[in-house]
Amino acid sequence: MIRHFLSLSSFSHRDLQALVDRAHFFSVNSQQPDQIHHLLTRKIFANVFYEPSTRTRCSFEIAAKRLGADVVNFVPENSSVKKGETVYDTLKTLESLGVDGIVFRHSDDHVLDQLRDRIQLPLLNAGAGKNEHPSQGLLDLLTLHQEFGRLAGLKIAVCGDIKHSRVAGSLMVAAEMFGMEIYLCGPSGLLPEPKGPTVRTADFDEVLPIVDAVMMLRIQLERHQGLELDAGAYHVHFGLTEARVGRMRPDAITLHPGPFNRGVEIADAVVEHPKSRIFKQMSNGVFARMAILEWAMRGRQ
Amino acid sequence: MIRHFLSLSSFSHRDLQALVDRAHFFSVNSQQPDQIHHLLTRKIFANVFYEPSTRTRCSFEIAAKRLGADVVNFVPENSSVKKGETVYDTLKTLESLGVDGIVFRHSDDHVLDQLRDRIQLPLLNAGAGKNEHPSQGLLDLLTLHQEFGRLAGLKIAVCGDIKHSRVAGSLMVAAEMFGMEIYLCGPSGLLPEPKGPTVRTADFDEVLPIVDAVMMLRIQLERHQGLELDAGAYHVHFGLTEARVGRMRPDAITLHPGPFNRGVEIADAVVEHPKSRIFKQMSNGVFARMAILEWAMRGRQ
Amino acid sequence: MIRHFLSLSSFSHRDLQALVDRAHFFSVNSQQPDQIHHLLTRKIFANVFYEPSTRTRCSFEIAAKRLGADVVNFVPENSSVKKGETVYDTLKTLESLGVDGIVFRHSDDHVLDQLRDRIQLPLLNAGAGKNEHPSQGLLDLLTLHQEFGRLAGLKIAVCGDIKHSRVAGSLMVAAEMFGMEIYLCGPSGLLPEPKGPTVRTADFDEVLPIVDAVMMLRIQLERHQGLELDAGAYHVHFGLTEARVGRMRPDAITLHPGPFNRGVEIADAVVEHPKSRIFKQMSNGVFARMAILEWAMRGRQ
């Protein structure tokens, strides 16, 4: 069976915890690069990004290289896409070229659903459509687990453009699996219908003092055209300001998947606040992706 | 002497057969990556593509990496070309930087002719102008040889925009060398004057039942601007449909260099027909390019 | 302490000479790639170029790979920059991703000044703003030292758009340190105020017969918009023509950082004149950058 990594929901609680643990192992051994460099030697992954990305593409590339694998970057703009090639034909081409896995990002929600049974090598979802961004979900779980030593029972406020956020999508999947309580905050027009027993909408300022973590989301202006956004007013109502950070519990932390807009959803001064785990998340992203790549290659050759 | 790989016509029959055989060796050993990874360690190739390409660029890059070499991608748009640098000066720069070979694509027919005597390291033609695409020619020979156990006497129909096809150009060079018979089919305006005793024009539907292979070509709209093409009518007259595939000999195969336009020169349903070797060709492309890179490095250091 | 490589002026005479010597060592051992390939294994550098570049980006990438390191290319156009991410946040992201050093180019003069104390891994200046291009400066020193066996007392004419040239900026820093005499030539509007005892303005044709080296600079049209330049007249007054090369001392050499505009600041016929070290400079650029990368990694892990 092909080990696609498309959604956290396809994992059992136990298997997902094993991935978190393996990512943590890579984290604590990050200063001994020689000890892990043999794990994926001779493997070649293709990065196929139909949407721009800094951190996710580089994060997967660095993860692969830390494990001794190599990476081929496929840039759709410079390619046969200009000649009208379909996504399926492009991925099938990469499969034929003998790559060992495809790290894939696309704006279409359903493109992976149509491809998963037709591509005979692991597809790794690096953010597809508005639904899930499972490698980000894994790094969030890793960050929370490192901080609190557990996931069950954690209370997390998510604030911002949740409706258009695949990051929030993956977090909510994990929340249900691990028994975390999620509070959805933000402008009502940007909130989805809460699903499942562990997700509810809430007033941001009301839940701030009780949560273990606040995850701020970027307003993805490129995804809802026509909407007028007053950045200053947004900051007042929903931005993570110093005042708001001051009202959080002493051991609570702040998260953001990045890239962030300083002064909009997060105040410049709190990006590197002692409570902030934002850059820790980025470091953890590499470790999470190492665990994902290694998992996907199990059973191949 | 510098081992440029510019045209199949510069090889003897024997040397070209040796390349086909070496590519076949890489094909049958593709599941033992450790056994070939030492062949080109410490070599660095530059990919220099002045025209967009997915499969050829990635194919050369994967071929290099499978042999233990590394690759530097030079993207003209992001480079000194914007500052007015000539192609010669760019290649001379890469030579000075110490790369071991240059994989090169350009739209100009004659650019390699002007450069071959002035660049002191192997130039590998990855598709220049409308004349030749010799690495594609080699992979076609490999695919045909794997299928039929021989090349001499094979009958091949080529259908489509042959006049603008460097793929057909390289095939016709090989056909004469190996004694294959080529039938050129397609709209009369897109057919070149047949050259040599083994190439003739023919009616597509007439030759279909007698050939060993049909090679379909993409209509390269980007190369003949102003021409109005009715894709539906083209498909009826010259497209590879299920009905046409049904009229081919039982052991005959279908080829396409890709990227293809489903519903224009090839019906969606026959891309992955049992007779199709289209994705096999792509796999063979990596093996062919491994043979080319290894050949070009012989005698260096 | 983080070993940033931002300016030649931050080095002592002795340390800079040590870098020149180490680069020379790489130069004379360039045919034994196996002997140096272990020096930076497991290191990963990020190339972050906010301005286009062929030779510098590829030069650093090849330098890294010759030392056994790997490289991640970050292309701002395809990235979160589109989403409004600041330079600091991008570099901080790459730091978090665990790269070992950042090779950086930007058009802003002061961007590195603002970043040097905030980024906790080596920043390597690959050309920032109009001030310095220190890796180019190092390769120029290497080229001069190889040629003349010394640097002290060398007389060098620099001709062209010096005001906008970071190459000239780094050369002038080195000139003062090593006691070279610099003559600034070119249109008066493109010359800076000479600083220091070893730099003076001069008439190009007057100093030509006395200097050890002439460094020609490209007219960087993209940096001074609105200025009308008559390329033909420029060539007559300030171009390096065959006649001018003929008036140089027998052992004098010509330099150009590239990319060059044939027929503007340099005649087509003298680019590869026996006196020209232009392509030698490019080769030396890889060796200089190997020395820089190795220096920056000393003391890390």
Side-chain angles (χ1 to χ4, degrees), chain B residues 123-196:
Chain B
L123 287 173
L124 310 172
N125 181 351
K130 301 187 298 290
N131 289 333
E132 273 222 46
H133 190 352
S135 66
Q136 178 75 35
L138 184 61
L139 79 86
D140 289 332
L141 293 179
L142 172 61
T143 308
L144 290 165
H145 198 274
Q146 286 176 340
E147 195 69 30
F148 298 105
R150 65 183 169 99
L151 294 170
L154 292 182
K155 292 180 171 62
I156 301 167
V158 184
C159 183
D161 184 0
I162 299 170
K163 211 186 233 176
H164 298 88
S165 170
R166 46 201 180 199
V167 174
S170 282
L171 183 68
M172 284 187 277
V173 167
E176 188 164 349
M177 200 180 294
F178 286 96
M180 301 187 285
E181 291 175 46
I182 305 291
Y183 300 94
L184 307 181
C185 311
S188 57
L190 299 180
L191 300 186
E193 284 297 300
K195 278 185 285 193

Side-chain angles (χ1 to χ4, degrees), chain C:
Chain C
M1 204 188 111
I2 308 298
R3 286 178 170 247
H4 296 313
F5 183 82
L6 299 182
S7 162
L8 295 187
S9 65
S10 65
F11 285 82
S12 68
H13 176 284
R14 179 197 168 125
D15 288 347
L16 194 51
Q17 183 66 53
L19 271 184
V20 172
D21 293 345
R22 186 64 175 164
H24 184 63
F25 169 84
F26 288 129
S27 149
V28 296
N29 287 280
S30 64
Q31 301 306 311
Q32 280 83 39
D34 283 326
Q35 297 193 12
I36 55 168
H37 193 264
H38 65 282
L39 290 170
L40 295 185
T41 44
R42 311 290 174 261
K43 300 298 184 200
I44 299 179
F45 296 96
N47 264 335
V48 183
F49 279 65
Y50 285 88
E51 288 193 319
S53 166
T54 311
R55 66 176 47 70
T56 307
R57 187 185 65 73
C58 284
S59 183
F60 268 108
E61 182 165 346
I62 290 167
K65 289 179 171 176
R66 290 287 180 216
L67 294 170
D70 217 325
V71 173
V72 173
N73 282 298
F74 167 78
V75 185
E77 293 97 309
N78 295 339
S79 81
S80 293
V81 173
K82 280 187 181 166
K83 302 174 185 168
E85 193 172 61
T86 66
V87 172
Y88 169 73
D89 288 331
T90 296
L91 297 194
K92 199 76 186 168
T93 295
L94 287 162
E95 179 190 321
S96 303
L97 294 180
V99 301
D100 295 285
I102 296 176
V103 177
F104 183 80
R105 171 170 285 200
H106 199 281
S107 60
D108 185 328
D109 282 346
H110 304 296
V111 66
L112 285 171
D113 290 339
Q114 297 160 3
L115 295 171
R116 58 183 305 159
D117 294 330
R118 304 176 69 197
I119 300 296
Q120 300 305 309
L121 82 173
L123 287 174
L124 309 172
N125 181 351
K130 299 188 299 290
N131 289 334
E132 272 222 47
H133 190 353
S135 67
Q136 178 75 35
L138 184 61
L139 79 87
D140 289 332
L141 293 179
L142 172 62
T143 307
L144 290 165
H145 199 273
Q146 286 176 340
E147 196 67 32
F148 299 104
R150 65 185 170 98
L151 294 170
L154 292 182
K155 292 180 171 60
I156 300 167
V158 184
C159 182
D161 185 1
I162 299 171
K163 210 185 231 176
H164 299 87
S165 171
R166 46 199 180 202
V167 174
S170 282
L171 182 68
M172 285 187 276
V173 167
E176 188 164 350
M177 200 179 295
F178 286 95
M180 300 187 285
E181 291 175 46
I182 304 291
Y183 302 93
L184 307 181
C185 311
S188 57
L190 300 181
L191 300 185
E193 283 298 301
K195 278 184 286 193
T198 61
V199 178
R200 71 205 74 173
T201 57
D203 181 86
F204 190 36
D205 284 308
E206 255 175 50
V207 296
L208 261 180
I210 67 159
V211 296
D212 299 291
V214 169
M215 179 183 286
M216 304 306 297
L217 299 177
R218 190 172 61 89
I219 299 300
Q220 307 200 50
L221 294 170
E222 68 272 26
R223 290 194 198 273
H224 33 108
Q225 290 166 332
L227 186 137
E228 284 287 321
L229 183 83
D230 178 337
Y234 186 88
H235 190 64
V236 168
H237 288 101
F238 301 107
L240 190 66
T241 58
E242 286 192 272
R244 284 197 173 98
V245 172
R247 295 178 49 232
M248 294 174 67
R249 288 173 33 188
D251 63 339
I253 61 173
T254 63
L255 304 169
H256 192 304
F260 37 82
N261 294 122
R262 291 173 183 260
V264 185
E265 79 275 9
I266 186 163
D268 189 55
V270 303
V271 168
E272 296 178 69
H273 189 279
K275 283 192 173 317
S276 168
R277 296 296 178 273
I278 296 180
F279 291 111
K280 182 89 183 284
Q281 284 174 283
M282 295 179 195
S283 299
N284 279 339
V286 174
F287 307 129
R289 282 150 192 142
M290 289 165 73
I292 293 165
L293 294 174
E294 186 193 41
W295 171 86
M297 289 300 102
R298 252 180 253 158
R300 258 183 91 82
Q301 302 177 8

Side-chain angles (χ1 to χ4, degrees), chain A residues 44 72-74 93-94 96-99, chain B residues 47 49 53-67 71 73 103 105 126 133 135-136 139 281-293:
Chain A
I44 299 179
V72 173
N73 281 298
F74 168 79
T93 295
L94 287 163
S96 302
L97 294 180
V99 302
Chain B
N47 265 334
F49 279 65
S53 166
T54 310
R55 66 175 48 69
T56 307
R57 187 185 66 72
C58 284
S59 182
F60 268 108
E61 183 165 345
I62 291 167
K65 290 178 170 176
R66 290 287 179 216
L67 294 169
V71 173
N73 281 299
V103 177
R105 171 171 286 201
H133 190 352
S135 66
Q136 178 75 35
L139 79 86
Q281 284 174 282
M282 296 180 194
S283 299
N284 279 339
V286 174
F287 307 129
R289 281 148 194 144
M290 290 165 73
I292 293 165
L293 294 175

Side-chain angles (χ1 to χ4, degrees), chain A residues 22-199:
Chain A
R22 186 64 174 164
H24 183 64
F25 168 86
F26 289 128
S27 150
V28 297
N29 286 280
S30 64
Q31 301 306 309
Q32 280 85 37
D34 283 326
Q35 297 193 11
I36 55 167
H37 193 266
H38 65 282
L39 291 171
L40 295 185
T41 44
R42 312 289 175 261
K43 300 298 184 199
I44 299 179
F45 296 96
N47 265 334
V48 184
F49 279 65
Y50 286 87
E51 288 193 319
S53 164
T54 309
R55 67 176 44 71
T56 307
R57 187 185 66 72
C58 284
S59 182
F60 268 108
E61 183 166 344
I62 291 167
K65 289 178 171 176
R66 290 286 179 217
L67 294 170
D70 217 324
V71 172
V72 173
N73 281 298
F74 168 79
V75 184
E77 292 98 309
N78 295 339
S79 82
S80 293
V81 173
K82 279 186 181 165
K83 303 174 186 167
E85 192 172 64
T86 65
V87 172
Y88 169 74
D89 288 332
T90 296
L91 297 194
K92 199 75 186 170
T93 295
L94 287 163
E95 179 190 320
S96 302
L97 294 180
V99 302
D100 296 285
I102 295 176
V103 177
F104 183 81
R105 171 172 286 201
H106 199 282
S107 60
D108 185 328
D109 282 346
H110 304 296
V111 66
L112 285 171
D113 291 338
Q114 297 159 4
L115 295 171
R116 59 182 304 159
D117 295 329
R118 303 176 69 197
I119 300 296
Q120 300 305 310
L121 81 175
L123 287 173
L124 310 171
N125 181 352
K130 299 188 299 291
N131 288 334
E132 272 222 47
H133 191 352
S135 67
Q136 178 75 35
L138 184 61
L139 79 86
D140 289 332
L141 293 179
L142 172 61
T143 307
L144 291 164
H145 198 274
Q146 286 176 340
E147 195 68 33
F148 299 105
R150 64 184 170 98
L151 294 169
L154 293 183
K155 291 181 171 61
I156 300 167
V158 184
C159 182
D161 184 2
I162 299 171
K163 210 185 233 177
H164 299 89
S165 171
R166 45 200 180 200
V167 174
S170 282
L171 183 69
M172 285 187 276
V173 167
E176 187 163 350
M177 201 180 294
F178 285 96
M180 301 187 285
E181 291 175 46
I182 304 292
Y183 301 94
L184 307 181
C185 312
S188 57
L190 300 181
L191 300 185
E193 283 298 299
K195 278 184 285 193
T198 61
V199 178

